[in-house]
Amino acid sequence: MKSTMAVNQPGAQKVNDWTDILGDFKGVESDLIPILLRVQEGLGYISEEAVRCISLFLKLSENQIYGVASFYPKFRFSEPGAQKIKVCMGTACHVKGGHFLSDAVAWELGISIGQASADKRFDFQRATCLGCCTLAPVVQIDDRIHARVLVTQIKEILKKRE
Amino acid sequence: MSDFEKRVVQARRKWNLIQESKIPVIYVGTATCGIAAGALDVVKSVRQTLKETGIKARLVQVGCIGPCYLEPLMDIVVPGRPRISYGPVNSRSARTIIERYLIEGNPASDLAVGHFSTNGNAPDSIPRFFDIPMLKPQVRVVLRNCGFIDPDDIDHYLANDGYRGLTKALGMTPEEVIAVVKEAGLRGRGGAGFPTFKKWEICRGAPGTTKYMICNSSEGDPGAFMNRALIESDPHCVLEGLLIAAYAIGADHGYIYINSDYLLAIARLKSAVKQMRQYGLLGQHILDSGFSFDVTIKEGAGAFVCGEETALIGSIEGRRGMPKARPPFPAIAGLFGKPTIINNVETLGTLPNIMRHGASWYRQFGIQGNYGTKTFSLVGKVRRGGLIEVPLGIKLREIIFDIGGGTWRKFKAVQTGGPSGGCLSEEFLDIQVAYESMTAAGSIMGSGGMIVMDEDTCAVDLALYFLNFTQKESCGKCSPCRVGTWQMVKILENIVKGQADSADIARLQTLAEAVQRVSLCGLGQTAPNPVLTTLRYFRGEYLQHVNEKYCAATICKELVEYFIEPGKCNGCQQCIRVCPTEAISGAKTEPHTIDLSRCIKCKACFEVCRFDPLAANAIVMRSERRAS
Ligand SMILES: Cc1cc2nc3c(=O)[nH]c(=O)nc-3n(C[C@H](O)[C@H](O)[C@H](O)COP(=O)(O)O)c2cc1C
Ligand code: SF4
Ligand code: SF4
Ligand code: FES
């Protein structure tokens, strides 16, 4: 169960060993989703290796783990791009034209929602609601929320962060 | 004096030190909405200003006070004077305000929103904060501490009668607690409005010694942030409610099931739980009583259906969040097969208030059968959006027009209840906001999302938006929901593209009614609501899309063209600059034209022509009626 891949713990210290994160859990079925969340937080996605390790640890088949993980929109199975772009697709943002923004990002980056750019520089996801609906439409880039965004600002916002 | 009472005395002392501070106190609201609006820049600017000017003042970060349209909000208290709120501020105006008020002694009333004086010693021309139109009709019960206390400091909560509801409850038998909640008439705020005491009674009476109490903070409704804001601004009121509920039903373990994207709310909960442990409010023999309880924070992985009780339980157990047929109800056989109660965040947040002040106090708010208050996230095309709390029985019109200030363009509809709810047109503005009346009108109370629409919103597009959402979120277990919502999306897509005929509308209606009737869980049963209500109240719009290929709101892309009005265009060429497909041409100072075969309808030229100072607002989106 050894791995050389580094996983960031929420506390931001690096651990180099799967047993380190798994050590925080009892090894029961209800640990599955919390473990997957920890893995994704550290690696950015759920790798095949992670699934193998979790499978051994929880004594669940890999299929069962994929079955659960793929059910939840949060989990992803390929490496994300470096810069995280999230366009809010919540109701408030939709009625204020949020879909124009996702179209603009897609046009600018040449990728569609849910994808990472081929060079892994950008990662383009939807958000269901970023919790600041009065500032709609909003776009989140890494940790920063851009409020009341116009289509014509998308280019600038993306460029500024290159 | 018990250890707890000693803590309370200390907490009051600490709180009074801030209230009677000898130096000015500056408050900045830093919940998610405030941060998004730039509150952290304001905090930085305040710190820097204080450092550079050498002014001595204290900075306190608080939660969300509600009027998000004024965010970021900064409040200043000068010793001996009432607290004054300013907003929206930015890093520059924060500095100006501090300099003007704290150096020159001028309260900068031109930048102030309101003051919090209760004895009239207010600076001239600044209104009372709670008298400003957005706040005046509101009643703050659940939100009473939001924006006033530091959510990361349990002492602030304690100093404001925190955990008094719990101490009262622990002095009663669980049955007496249930009786108080029954008398108060509290109904579940998660959407359905089921009487809280009834569920509790069933669970209390269920056989078994292990029982669970769960707080449902999944809040999957896109466009609703009430639960998130409450936890971020006053986490202890929810936790206190959880303890009271657990005591009443006889649970010794609880879970808070929360969306893993709610980073700030989770952080606040974790810090609150830690402080509760230190204060003896969790663990064995809480406050020296016979009651023992502990809580686990469970992060969800973002599925709307996990807000449904049986799906939520499945998710905590580590499985896919798939609903199960009921009975058995969770109150009898829930988490790990044990009797379990799930209550919404706001339901729990209300409990401490009911326990503290009693049932009859609570019943003064609201109307018969619908007692108390309800929080809403008032958003969309409304002038003053934000987090609000109103007594039940208030009219929709009062919420949208008195509190929200109405719409910029003509009001069209209000959507409540999110993907499970419906759209109500103007004729319903005078109905009372109560569980039965909202349902009778065709919508639902829901958990508190309230999205206002004006004439620039297309009812068909909105129905498609929600159906797309529920279709994606359907867990797939039962076919009416899985296949039915998919078919409904297809029909709606054809309608918005102008590729449907009137038989499709009839098909959509039949299908919607079938899905509503035969789906397994609430998601499928309510998914057709947005379609059914828009078909009922905005059928004319459906017919226009179908028969005339016309979208009056100019939202449905396929039915809309961008057009430059030659008489208005000044040939400034700004639109050419932003068009990604080079669809626009024209000589400088001459009217421009758009090549529709190249136009991808991205809206860039429209925005520039409208907002650029050089441009003449000459571009329109238009939809033309076509005879079929
Ligand atoms: C699809 C679906 C999603 C739901 N989402 C939520 C939610 O996000 N929050 C919530 O409190 N209740 C939600 N509910 C309602 C819960 O199942 C449950 O009725 C509620 O949490 C009970 O708490 P209350 O009695 O305090 O209202 C949802 C129900 C369904 C069918
Ligand atoms: S109604 Fe939809 S979400 Fe509910 S069980 Fe059926 S398929 Fe799943
Ligand atoms: S931006 Fe507007 S005014 Fe300027 S050239 Fe384009 S259409 Fe004409
Ligand atoms: S809908 Fe976009 S932030 Fe809530």
Side-chain angles (χ1 to χ4, degrees):
Chain A
M1 286 228 280
K2 293 266 164 166
S3 157
T4 48
M5 214 169 281
V7 174
N8 275 336
Q9 270 191 313
Q13 327 111 274
K14 296 232 170 184
V15 286
N16 293 311
D17 201 312
W18 284 109
T19 46
D20 279 11
I21 46 165
L22 297 180
D24 293 350
F25 296 92
K26 284 193 234 130
V28 292
E29 189 177 354
S30 58
D31 288 338
L32 176 57
I33 294 167
I35 293 175
L36 289 169
L37 284 167
R38 283 279 290 277
V39 170
Q40 176 143 320
E41 193 175 285
L43 280 183
Y45 71 112
I46 309 295
S47 67
E48 288 177 22
E49 190 197 13
V51 173
R52 268 196 305 277
C53 293
I54 299 168
S55 161
L56 288 173
F57 180 64
L58 294 183
K59 303 187 182 58
L60 295 173
S61 75
E62 290 184 28
N63 264 341
Q64 215 170 336
I65 294 170
Y66 279 116
V68 172
S70 63
F71 177 83
Y72 295 96
K74 171 109 184 178
F75 298 121
R76 47 192 298 170
F77 305 94
S78 58
E79 205 185 325
Q83 194 181 107
K84 312 273 185 300
I85 300 149
K86 277 191 184 170
V87 179
C88 182
M89 295 295 197
T91 319
C93 288
H94 178 81
V95 303
K96 291 270 187 87
H99 48 289
F100 284 106
L101 302 180
S102 56
D103 288 349
V105 173
W107 180 270
E108 256 334 291
L109 300 179
I111 49 176
S112 44
I113 219 158
Q115 293 182 330
S117 61
D119 59 6
K120 297 280 179 207
R121 271 176 53 215
F122 298 102
D123 196 67
F124 178 22
Q125 303 292 330
R126 74 172 69 234
T128 353
C129 176
L130 292 168
C132 45
C133 315
T134 44
L135 304 173
V138 297
V139 175
Q140 183 177 2
I141 299 188
D142 294 331
D143 293 333
R144 177 110 202 158
I145 288 192
H146 297 261
R148 301 191 184 96
V149 180
L150 296 171
V151 172
T152 39
Q153 292 171 331
I154 289 287
K155 209 177 190 152
E156 231 174 289
I157 293 176
L158 292 178
K159 200 182 278 155
K160 237 192 324 215
R161 302 230 138 207
E162 257 172 49
Chain B
M1 203 190 281
S2 71
D3 283 351
F4 178 72
E5 292 305 331
K6 279 185 208 143
R7 301 253 194 209
V8 174
V9 171
Q10 271 165 9
R12 288 227 179 89
R13 212 173 285 144
K14 186 165 161 190
W15 174 256
N16 287 340
L17 238 66
I18 302 176
Q19 303 317 301
E20 292 147 19
S21 171
K22 300 268 183 302
I23 56 171
V25 186
I26 301 174
Y27 298 86
V28 182
T30 50
T32 291
C33 46
I35 291 175
L40 295 182
D41 292 337
V42 172
V43 168
K44 215 153 107 199
S45 162
V46 170
R47 288 217 174 95
Q48 203 166 345
T49 309
L50 296 181
K51 201 165 134 205
E52 283 170 22
T53 55
I55 301 171
K56 290 248 170 313
R58 200 181 165 128
L59 176 65
V60 182
Q61 292 190 35
V62 292
C64 171
I65 199 164
C68 303
Y69 76 107
L70 292 172
E71 304 249 41
L73 280 155
M74 175 179 82
D75 296 10
I76 301 183
V77 187
V78 165
R81 312 209 58 189
R83 174 166 167 173
I84 300 175
S85 189
Y86 303 87
V89 293
N90 54 34
S91 18
R92 196 144 19 102
S93 63
R95 188 185 183 104
T96 314
I97 295 164
I98 293 174
E99 284 175 352
R100 278 174 64 187
Y101 197 6
L102 301 188
I103 297 178
E104 296 160 26
N106 167 357
S109 48
D110 49 323
L111 300 170
V113 176
H115 69 79
F116 293 87
S117 166
T118 39
N119 57 15
N121 87 30
D124 330 324
S125 76
I126 299 178
R128 213 174 75 89
F129 189 83
F130 288 114
D131 282 343
I132 67 173
M134 187 186 189
L135 274 306
K136 192 143 199 203
Q138 297 194 44
V139 172
R140 292 165 65 93
V141 173
V142 181
L143 302 180
R144 70 185 183 103
N145 285 328
C146 299
F148 289 99
I149 64 168
D150 176 351
D152 271 328
D153 192 340
I154 191 172
D155 288 335
H156 283 208
Y157 186 65
L158 284 181
N160 287 281
D161 293 331
Y163 293 103
R164 275 287 162 236
L166 177 69
T167 47
K168 268 228 174 123
L170 293 179
M172 302 178 184
T173 65
E175 287 76 13
E176 284 167 347
V177 174
I178 296 178
V180 171
V181 172
K182 176 179 180 180
E183 201 198 324
L186 177 63
R187 300 171 65 172
R189 297 296 187 236
F194 192 79
T196 303
F197 87 91
K198 256 196 202 155
K199 294 209 291 208
W200 287 11
E201 246 173 22
I202 298 169
C203 188
R204 169 107 214 133
T209 45
T210 306
K211 290 176 186 171
Y212 294 107
M213 182 64 222
I214 301 177
C215 169
N216 188 349
S217 341
S218 123
E219 198 163 54
D221 173 359
F225 57 92
M226 316 72 51
N227 292 172
R228 174 200 293 230
L230 179 59
I231 295 176
E232 286 176 357
S233 307
D234 192 11
H236 285 287
C237 84
V238 180
L239 286 158
E240 182 180 356
L242 188 75
L243 261 62
I244 294 169
Y247 176 71
I249 65 164
D252 62 5
H253 203 94
Y255 289 86
I256 298 181
Y257 185 81
I258 185 163
N259 190 329
S260 60
D261 286 334
Y262 282 15
L263 297 177
L264 184 59
I266 294 171
R268 295 259 152 94
L269 279 175
K270 285 188 174 157
S271 107
V273 165
K274 203 164 135 200
Q275 296 175 59
M276 285 171 79
R277 288 225 167 83
Q278 284 165 5
Y279 279 43
L281 288 159
L282 282 177
Q284 297 294 313
H285 301 290
I286 289 171
L287 305 183
D288 303 319
S289 71
F291 174 54
S292 302
F293 182 75
D294 216 326
V295 64
T296 307
I297 297 164
K298 271 276 174 180
E299 295 177 33
F304 174 62
V305 73
C306 288
E308 196 278 339
E309 301 194 348
T310 56
L312 186 154
I313 287 172
S315 180
I316 295 185
E317 289 173 351
R319 292 182 284 107
R320 307 176 73 147
M322 296 242 199
K324 285 188 187 161
R326 302 186 294 183
F329 287 92
I332 304 286
L335 186 63
F336 305 117
K338 308 290 185 208
T340 302
I341 287 298
I342 298 176
N343 274 130
N344 169 260
V345 170
E346 187 181 338
T347 313
L348 296 177
T350 306
L351 290 170
N353 300 291
I354 294 178
M355 293 315 298
R356 245 191 2 260
H357 298 293
S360 51
W361 171 85
Y362 187 68
R363 285 163 72 112
Q364 72 177 294
F365 309 111
I367 53 173
Q368 194 177 8
N370 281 264
Y371 294 111
T373 58
K374 176 84 199 79
T375 62
F376 287 98
S377 66
L378 180 64
V379 297
K381 304 285 187 69
V382 68
R383 283 172 206 254
R384 298 191 289 258
L387 171 68
I388 63 166
E389 180 173 3
V390 290
L392 287 175
I394 192 172
K395 292 189 172 133
L396 277 173
R397 183 185 300 282
E398 292 173 78
I399 295 185
I400 296 162
F401 289 86
D402 298 347
I403 295 177
T407 46
W408 301 104
R409 307 285 301 266
K410 191 175 174 324
F411 171 84
K412 178 177 196 163
V414 57
Q415 210 281 345
T416 58
S420 308
C423 252
L424 298 177
S425 55
E426 204 176 352
E427 61 199 280
F428 293 98
L429 280 175
D430 289 309
I431 65 163
Q432 287 186 314
V433 176
Y435 287 97
E436 291 72 21
S437 49
M438 296 291 279
T439 309
S443 188
I444 56 169
M445 173 86 79
S447 61
M450 189 174 277
I451 289 137
V452 178
M453 290 173 276
D454 63 8
E455 60 185 358
D456 287 344
T457 326
C458 170
V460 188
D461 172 74
L462 193 80
L464 173 59
Y465 166 81
F466 280 120
L467 250 288
N468 254 324
F469 179 85
T470 35
Q471 192 273 321
K472 280 201 194 75
E473 296 288 341
S474 166
C475 81
K477 182 167 175 175
C478 70
S479 41
C481 169
R482 183 184 65 240
V483 186
T485 53
W486 190 82
Q487 283 297 344
M488 283 161 72
V489 166
K490 291 296 145 206
I491 298 175
L492 284 162
E493 277 176 357
N494 284 339
I495 296 177
V496 302
K497 284 185 193 153
Q499 291 169 358
D501 55 38
S502 42
D504 285 319
I505 298 187
R507 264 197 290 275
L508 182 63
Q509 177 107 29
T510 315
L511 195 54
E513 286 163 2
V515 172
Q516 187 176 48
R517 230 178 15 249
V518 295
S519 289
L520 174 65
C521 86
L523 189 148
Q525 288 156 8
T526 58
N529 284 354
V531 173
L532 288 168
T533 49
T534 47
L535 272 173
R536 195 151 134 206
Y537 304 127
F538 301 97
R539 187 174 276 274
E541 268 181 57
Y542 279 85
L543 292 172
Q544 285 172 343
H545 283 72
V546 168
N547 296 332
E548 302 175 79
K549 318 295 174 207
Y550 172 64
C551 174
T554 64
I555 290 294
C556 297
K557 225 172 173 176
E558 248 90 355
L559 306 182
V560 167
E561 276 176 8
Y562 285 63
F563 174 73
I564 300 178
E565 291 185 24
K568 274 192 173 175
C569 173
N570 63 16
C572 72
Q573 298 200 312
Q574 295 300 74
C575 53
I576 296 183
R577 201 170 48 82
V578 296
C579 177
T581 61
E582 297 177 9
I584 307 177
S585 56
K588 214 168 168 73
T589 73
E590 298 287 325
H592 286 31
T593 51
I594 301 178
D595 175 356
L596 293 180
S597 67
R598 306 184 80 160
C599 173
I600 56 164
K601 305 176 187 177
C602 74
K603 207 179 168 187
C605 63
F606 174 86
E607 278 177 4
V608 165
C609 192
R610 188 146 172 212
F611 297 118
D612 194 290
L614 298 175
N617 197 7
I619 302 185
V620 289
M621 290 183 235
R622 62 180 189 187
S623 178
E624 298 213 34
R625 292 171 194 267
R626 271 163 282 178
S628 54

